[in-house]
Amino acid sequence: MLDINLIRENGDHIKELLARKGWEVDFTPLLNDDKKRKELLLEVEANKAEQNKLSASIPQVKKAGGDINAIFEKVKALKKANEDKENSLKDIEERIQKFIEVLPNTPDEDLLPGGKENNRVIKTFGTKPEFGFKMKDHVELCESLGLIDYKRGAKISGSGTWVYTGIGAQLEWALLNFFVSEHLKDGYTMILPPHLLNYESGYTAGQFPKFSNEVFWLDGIEPHRFMLPTAETALVNLHRNEILSENELPKKYFAYTPCYRLEAGSYRTEERGMIRGYQFNKVEMVQYTTEEGSDVAFEELVNKATSLVNKLGLHFQISKLAAGDCSHSMARTYDVEVWIPSMGIYKEVSSASNGRDYQARRGMIRYRDQKSGKTKYCHTLNASGLATSRLIPAIVEQFQTEDGSVIVPEVLRPFMGGISIIKSKDRK
C-alpha cells in the first residue's frame, strides 16, 4: 500500500511513476476526501473539547444556582453533531482506503517505463547448447523416457496438469532436495506453511482485492479460503500485525509448496508439456529487512537464484524488468530465465523482487528502530529458489544425447541414488 503522505506531498511524481507501470490515476478525489477528513477531525475534536469544558463546568454552575439543564442540552446537541460527523468521517475513511488499496506499488526510479518490450538482459551465463543431431523437445523426451505421463494427468485432472512417474518423480524430488539443502546451508529458516490461506493473507501480499478472481477459492468452508498461488503469499504474512526488533532483521525464510494458479497456458507449441500448468512445485525465499538493508537483500536473492541455476549447468540469462512488467506489489524485479532449445526462447524460473514497504503497510509489519525507539515498516523481498516446471524441460532438452538419453546434472546425482544418465531402459 502506498503512503498517503507521498501522494499529499508529491502527487504529480507518484502519478508519473505509476504511469510507468501503465496505471493512470487522478488523485483529485482522494485529496479532496483527505482534506474533508482533516476538517471533520478538527471539528470532532473541537466538539469533544467543548463537551468536556461544559461538563466540567456543571458542579460550579450547580453550586452557584445556575441552570444546568441548558448545559445538558448543549452537551447533548454537541454529541449528536459528533455522531453525524463521525459517521461521515467513517464513510470518507472507507473511500480513502478503497482508493489506496488498489493502487500498485511505485516502480523504482531507475526502471524503464512500459512492458516486456522494455525488459533488458543484464547478464548471460554459459552458451547455448548445440546439437549435431536432430534434437527432441521435452514432451517427446519425457514421454519416451517415462518421466512424465501427460495423458493420464489430463485424464485424472484435466488439461494443464501432468503426472511425474518413476525416474521423473525422482528427478523432480532431487531438484527440490537440492534447493532445500542449498538454502539451509545459507542459513535460511525452512517453513512448511498451510496451502489454504485466508483473505487477509492475500490482502497483505497485495493480490487482493484487485486480483481476488485469479486464485482458486474453496467453497463450503468459513471463513472463505483460497489455495496459495505461491509460498510468498504465506511467508510474507508470518509477521503480519507484529512489531519486530531491529536486531531480529533480516529474517530469512524459505518454503517448499505446490503452487496453484488459476490461469494455465493453452496446449499450444509454446505452452506444451510443463511450461505452464495449474499446479507446479516451487521453493520460495522471502526476506524481511530494514529500509537500509533492502538493496543488499535484493542482490543476495538474485545471486542465490542465479547460483542454483548455474550449479545445474544450464544456459540462462538475467533480465531486469521494465516497470510495467513488474507485478502489482513489486517495485523492482529481476527474472532468471532458462533457455528452452525446442522453443528458441528463454523462460523464467525465478523472479527476484523487492516490494519495499508496500506489503508491510498492508499487513502492519513493523520493527522498532534501536536508536529512535520509533516503529518503522519492514521491507519485504522474495525470489523463487527455484520453480521446477520449467527446469525439467530445460534439463532434458539441454542435456539430451543423440540416443535420446538425458545426462543428469552432477549436483542432483546424490539425491537420485547416484544415477548419472537417464536412458530409455529406466522407463517404468
Side-chain angles (χ1 to χ4, degrees):
M1 187 177 297
L2 298 185
D3 183 356
I4 193 171
N5 289 314
L6 295 176
I7 298 171
R8 289 182 189 130
E9 295 163 9
N10 206 350
D12 287 341
H13 184 54
I14 300 300
K15 183 177 178 179
E16 191 273 327
L17 285 176
L18 293 179
R20 296 183 192 179
K21 272 194 167 185
W23 192 278
E24 300 297 329
V25 63
D26 180 5
F27 288 129
T28 304
L30 174 67
L31 294 174
N32 286 341
D33 275 340
D34 188 48
K35 183 179 178 182
K36 290 176 189 173
R37 177 175 63 175
K38 288 179 181 177
E39 292 170 352
L40 279 171
L41 279 171
L42 289 174
E43 291 173 14
V44 167
E45 288 169 3
N47 277 0
K48 285 181 178 178
E50 182 64 17
Q51 287 178 57
N52 292 336
K53 182 179 177 182
L54 288 169
S55 296
S57 72
I58 289 174
Q60 291 181 336
V61 173
K62 191 174 182 180
K63 188 176 180 181
D67 183 9
I68 61 172
N69 288 325
I71 296 176
F72 286 136
E73 287 300 318
K74 286 182 180 179
V75 170
K76 185 178 178 181
L78 287 168
K79 282 184 176 179
K80 178 64 173 68
N82 258 12
E83 284 180 9
D84 294 339
K85 291 179 188 296
E86 286 174 340
N87 285 333
S88 296
L89 193 58
K90 183 180 177 182
D91 290 341
I92 289 172
E93 287 175 340
E94 285 178 356
R95 286 203 302 270
I96 290 173
Q97 178 72 10
K98 287 179 180 179
F99 190 105
I100 292 178
E101 70 185 6
V102 298
L103 295 175
N105 200 352
T106 51
D108 283 353
E109 298 279 355
D110 63 313
L111 300 192
L112 292 173
K116 294 179 184 294
E117 70 281 359
N118 286 333
N119 292 349
R120 294 290 182 266
V121 176
I122 58 176
K123 194 169 184 181
T124 302
F125 296 78
T127 57
K128 292 179 183 178
E130 295 183 2
F131 305 97
F133 53 89
K134 186 179 179 181
M135 62 162 291
K136 299 176 181 178
D137 66 32
H138 66 277
V139 175
E140 185 178 359
L141 285 164
C142 287
E143 287 182 333
S144 66
L145 295 172
L147 308 182
I148 307 292
D149 193 328
Y150 298 105
K151 292 179 180 177
R152 288 189 174 94
K155 179 173 70 175
I156 64 177
S157 178
S159 62
T161 60
W162 53 84
V163 174
Y164 297 98
T165 62
I167 299 297
Q170 288 180 247
L171 180 61
E172 174 78 359
W173 211 242
L175 281 166
L176 296 168
N177 274 288
F178 168 57
F179 302 152
V180 167
S181 66
E182 291 293 301
H183 298 321
L184 289 174
K185 196 185 301 179
D186 290 340
Y188 280 62
T189 299
M190 185 174 181
I191 302 290
L192 289 176
H195 297 181
L196 302 184
L197 304 180
N198 55 29
Y199 183 90
E200 291 78 10
S201 294
Y203 182 87
T204 295
Q207 292 156 339
F208 302 161
K210 184 168 178 57
F211 303 107
S212 59
N213 63 339
E214 294 185 6
V215 298
F216 287 105
W217 288 95
L218 273 73
D219 295 329
I221 62 170
E222 291 295 337
H224 210 188
R225 293 189 180 95
F226 65 98
M227 300 180 75
L228 85 174
T230 167
E232 174 211 339
T233 311
L235 293 177
V236 82
N237 277 276
L238 287 179
H239 298 290
R240 189 174 74 217
N241 297 323
E242 294 181 23
I243 299 176
L244 305 171
S245 299
E246 185 178 355
N247 59 15
E248 293 181 70
L249 302 176
K251 282 190 173 292
K252 303 179 181 182
Y253 297 110
F254 77 94
Y256 156 69
T257 66
C259 301
Y260 307 96
R261 299 285 173 88
L262 187 56
E263 290 187 22
S266 60
Y267 202 78
R268 59 183 185 271
T269 302
E270 184 180 326
E271 305 296 348
R272 290 185 71 202
M274 301 164 60
I275 299 301
R276 281 184 70 85
Y278 292 110
Q279 176 187 326
F280 58 93
N281 292 317
K282 180 156 69 80
V283 175
E284 184 77 9
M285 302 176 284
V286 160
Q287 284 201 34
Y288 295 77
T289 74
T290 61
E291 180 180 355
E292 294 75 18
S294 187
D295 290 332
V296 172
F298 180 75
E299 290 301 319
E300 179 183 312
L301 290 172
V302 172
N303 290 337
K304 276 180 61 61
T306 300
S307 172
L308 294 174
V309 187
N310 215 14
K311 286 179 179 180
L312 288 170
L314 294 166
H315 168 59
F316 67 103
Q317 65 184 23
I318 300 176
S319 291
K320 178 180 178 180
L321 301 195
D325 203 25
C326 292
S327 70
H328 194 77
S329 303
M330 297 300 143
R332 181 179 205 83
T333 297
Y334 284 6
D335 274 0
V336 178
E337 302 163 332
V338 72
W339 175 248
I340 309 292
S342 65
M343 298 178 180
I345 55 177
Y346 294 88
K347 282 290 187 178
E348 173 250 316
V349 293
S350 177
S351 282
S353 299
N354 193 334
R356 304 297 179 185
D357 64 0
Y358 182 89
Q359 293 172 318
R361 284 183 179 278
R362 300 174 78 88
M364 294 299 288
I365 307 165
R366 294 152 291 167
Y367 68 95
R368 195 170 300 282
D369 183 80
Q370 286 181 319
K371 290 182 180 178
S372 67
K374 295 180 179 178
T375 58
K376 297 181 177 180
Y377 289 103
C378 293
H379 278 210
T380 57
L381 305 93
N382 68 84
S384 312
L386 300 163
T388 61
S389 63
R390 292 171 179 174
L391 280 173
I392 286 186
I395 288 170
V396 299
E397 288 195 13
Q398 289 197 33
F399 297 145
Q400 64 179 292
T401 62
E402 189 171 5
D403 66 358
S405 300
V406 170
I407 297 169
V408 176
E410 192 170 343
V411 292
L412 300 184
R413 295 173 190 176
F415 303 105
M416 293 188 66
I419 295 173
S420 60
I421 188 164
I422 302 171
K423 300 180 180 179
S424 57
K425 69 178 182 180
D426 296 318
R427 184 170 184 172
K428 303 296 182 184

